[in-house]
Amino acid sequence: MSDTLDMSGPSSPEQQRANRILSEPLRRSLKRSHPCSLSEYLNNTNRLSHRHSSSSIGVRGLLHPTAAQHRPTQPRQTKPRRAHSSNIDLWDSPSGLHLAHAAELLMRAGALTLTPTPRDQGEEMEGGSGAEGDSTGCVTDFLPLLGCSWFPLNPGLFALMAGGGGFLTSGGGSMGIAGIGEGVEVLRGESSSPGGGGAGRRKRKRCGECVPCRRTGNCEECSACRNRKTGHQICKYRKCEQLKKKAATGFEMVFPSGAAFPWLQ
DNA sequence: CCGAACGTTAGG
DNA sequence: CCTAACGTTCGG
């Protein structure tokens, strides 16, 4: 009577399933961490700087993409099925697009001067390829690039870009910017416009760490499971907590001090 | 506002 | 090519 007490047991079949599912191993695909796109960015940037040895058109050309790059504000359909990978593609990446926009804004404001120095082209980013790793490394890796004379991005802009791509804030985003100014408004408007947000439409990935992500096997009973054929959705109990939140397209976080750019003060 | 359906992307 | 699943749209 008392020794085999089942501790009130799972109060519902759902909990039973949950317990069973939780004991299952993590899926292989989730164990593989999402590659840090910034490392790719750095590598690509090096390659770009070689290819576009004629300096200024490198960035300028990218800032004014071809018609194919400019996704029309049409609702749907006309979009090419798959964006083929190319060098220019990195500017269409979640972070890259913002980078391009940010750079253009700076150019318009006269803050960005495209004056590459021989040092920029000759100096390989050895440190970048060697020190890449976790997201923290990405930040430090990126600093040499920021420091180069033709791309005077400040940390604020960097965080601004990262917010759009989300690769810096994926862990819960403890840092962000609010009230940057007109520039941000422009960026926000373009990147989050429904249907037309190229970078914003890129799929996010499951964090692989939250409880739902760690589950394997579908419940086969929730609406998502039942409508798998038409719904194309993952089981409700496996839906990543991060993905449940709305994609971070804006920059809503504020520093505790309330300052938009603490580092500028 | 919520859920279903659909389009699309991404990995195998 | 196939499957899984995210993002967006639409209807209730």
Side-chain angles (χ1 to χ4, degrees), chain A residues 242-263:
Chain A
Q242 301 297 323
L243 296 179
K244 283 178 186 170
K245 300 172 189 168
K246 200 163 158 58
T249 55
F251 315 99
E252 294 142 10
M253 299 287 200
V254 189
F255 287 96
S257 64
F261 290 96
W263 45 78

Side-chain angles (χ1 to χ4, degrees), chain A residues 4 6 53 69 109 125 155 192 236:
Chain A
T4 54
D6 64 344
S53 52
Q69 295 273 316
M125 307 200 51
S192 63
K236 276 185 177 179

Side-chain angles (χ1 to χ4, degrees), chain A residues 38-53 87 90 119-130 132 141 144-145 150:
Chain A
L38 190 49
S39 298
E40 296 176 27
Y41 171 83
L42 287 177
N43 291 333
N44 284 329
T45 303
N46 287 336
R47 257 175 260 137
L48 272 177
S49 67
H50 281 297
R51 181 163 298 192
H52 300 283
S53 52
N87 281 335
L90 78 89
R119 175 178 169 275
D120 296 330
Q121 297 179 19
E123 183 174 334
E124 285 293 324
M125 307 200 51
E126 309 274 19
S129 59
E132 66 188 16
D141 287 349
L145 185 64
W150 60 275

Side-chain angles (χ1 to χ4, degrees), chain A residues 12-46:
Chain A
S12 70
E14 208 174 282
Q15 280 192 4
Q16 277 183 320
R17 271 196 307 278
N19 289 339
R20 190 192 64 221
I21 289 172
L22 278 174
S23 65
E24 294 176 12
L26 202 59
R27 279 172 52 173
R28 219 182 0 168
S29 61
L30 289 177
K31 289 177 183 171
R32 182 175 36 203
S33 62
H34 189 53
C36 178
S37 56
L38 190 49
S39 298
E40 296 176 27
Y41 171 83
L42 287 177
N43 291 333
N44 284 329
T45 303
N46 287 336

Side-chain angles (χ1 to χ4, degrees), chain A residues 14 17-18 20-22 24 27 206 210-229 231-241 243-244:
Chain A
E14 208 174 282
R17 271 196 307 278
R20 190 192 64 221
I21 289 172
L22 278 174
E24 294 176 12
R27 279 172 52 173
R206 312 170 66 189
C210 64
V211 172
C213 278
R214 294 183 75 89
R215 293 187 180 186
T216 57
N218 302 315
C219 72
E220 304 295 348
E221 290 180 19
C222 69
S223 59
C225 286
R226 278 178 290 158
N227 303 329
R228 172 126 322 114
K229 281 285 180 287
H232 302 171
Q233 286 294 316
I234 191 172
C235 169
K236 276 185 177 179
Y237 302 108
R238 295 178 59 204
K239 182 75 173 182
C240 175
E241 296 289 352
L243 296 179
K244 283 178 186 170

Side-chain angles (χ1 to χ4, degrees), chain A residues 143-155:
Chain A
L143 288 179
L145 185 64
L146 298 181
C148 71
S149 58
W150 60 275
F151 213 103
L153 293 177
N154 61 40

